[in-house]
Amino acid sequence: MAFEKITRRKFGLAAGYSMLAVSMGSGLPAAAAAATPSAGPARRLARPSAQQLAFDDMELGVFIHYSIDTYGSVSAGMPASAFNPTSLDTEQWVLAAKAMGARYVVLTARHEQGFCLWPTATTGYSVRNSPYKNGEGDIVREFVDACRKHGVKPGLYTPPWIDDHFDQHTLGMAAGQGNAAIGKYDDPARYAKVRDKELRQQQELLTRYGPLVFYWDDHYGRSDSLSPEPQGGKLRELYAELGRQARRLQPDMLYFGPDVEHVGNESGHSCYPMWNAVDTVDGTRDSCATTYKWDGQNAGSPHGRLYRPRLGPNTDALSSGGWMWTGPRTVPSLQERMRVYYELIGRGAGAIVNLTPDASGRIPDNLVAAATEMGDEIRRRFSTPVARTRANGLSATLRFDAPRRIDHLVTMEGVAQGQKIARYRIEARVDGGWKTIVEGQTVGHKRIDRVEPVTVTALRFVCTEALERSVNIRGFAAYDTAA
């Protein structure tokens, strides 16, 4: 793989051209070098679908974790009649998410205890046998209707590998023992029953409620990401089949795993540098990335065959207490909430933050206030740039009529033809001379650089290493967040 390293002098000579080979490889830090193919011809860069590009632009989503867990059930130990919200309000959920700035919301249509928030024909463990609306309720329907009413895109969540009620009452498995074990469905007869139930539940959800933007089938890639060597097995087989059905029933919907992949942790950060291109453990789109290891990093591969935006889920940054309601919650500082924004969205990934209804079926006031405060702060910092530009080529320059204070720089790469920028610097013109104030690596959908406040008359983004000749700087903007 041949590259050319661009020096400052060469950049000055070539900056007028929009196509220029730029190097990547030995000059990169270890993390980036590890992601660089060591041999073989370069592939055409992986390119996103229109739906993946749109998902990148949504950036921030909200999870609604709500089920029979909210009422104290553990391992499906409580009957469906225990599910008894008194003031459930899906519009309140959606409006709280919208106040945070979320453009999509994902509801746990079924969580790991197996209780279904819609009147499924596959099990009696659902709202159909609860006091809610005398068994006539359909919370999934209420949720998707509320999303569409308020201009937010709906998504749904299920965990195919974990269904405590089904495991106990249909398969005869012991409660609370190995419900997440990789080999628990190795028996062909067990697997056939699980497969049938999961396909039927997914079909109900994807044919009854209209178009969805996103479907999160939890624990995707679990058998390949928990240990040093991929295990595959029935888990990979089940998720591959569910993914194929999902594509057939809703081809424009993004499915968690093949279309959007996990950052690798629930701590509210993505690794950096991060490439959206990945290679998979079995070479097909039905398995997880070779770089995905749970509670590790998921850096991707610059010349990976498939394009997969990364998504980071988090609950602790907004409130204490885990994913499901267990009692009153405290809210971390605004600084901690904003950390998640910077360390996920600011590193090129997406973020999905948890909002948790209480036993009444409403999100508590302090969580709504925290979500609103976070959304207001994001808007305050990033709604009005000091200046913004875009460019095709290796550089983009902002010039000011008078000296301006700046403390944030936001760069967006046009990735429709693949992610290309591998290294960059940002220079500021201060007191008549140029000086480097930022050195970075990947950009991807978005890169947010925080800098010490500086007064400048011009700013210049310079791509110094890239995977291909043509680079598109979709946006380069400067902000003064103290204004």
Side-chain angles (χ1 to χ4, degrees), residues 49-61 103-104 106 213-216 254 256 259-261 309-312 349-352 445:
S49 67
Q51 291 81 10
Q52 288 172 320
L53 285 173
F55 190 82
D56 274 343
D57 281 342
M58 287 193 287
E59 296 187 347
L60 180 62
R103 298 179 184 177
Y104 69 100
V106 176
V213 69
F214 187 47
Y215 196 95
W216 183 301
L254 295 175
F256 183 62
D259 299 315
V260 177
E261 192 158 288
R310 226 67 95 244
L311 181 61
I352 183 165
H445 170 70

Side-chain angles (χ1 to χ4, degrees), residues 90-91 93-94 98 104-107 141-155:
T90 55
E91 288 195 46
W93 303 351
V94 171
K98 193 170 183 179
Y104 69 100
V105 186
V106 176
L107 172 66
R141 167 59 60 195
E142 294 176 40
F143 165 74
V144 298
D145 287 350
C147 286
R148 291 171 184 139
K149 177 179 177 179
H150 293 288
V152 176
K153 295 185 181 298

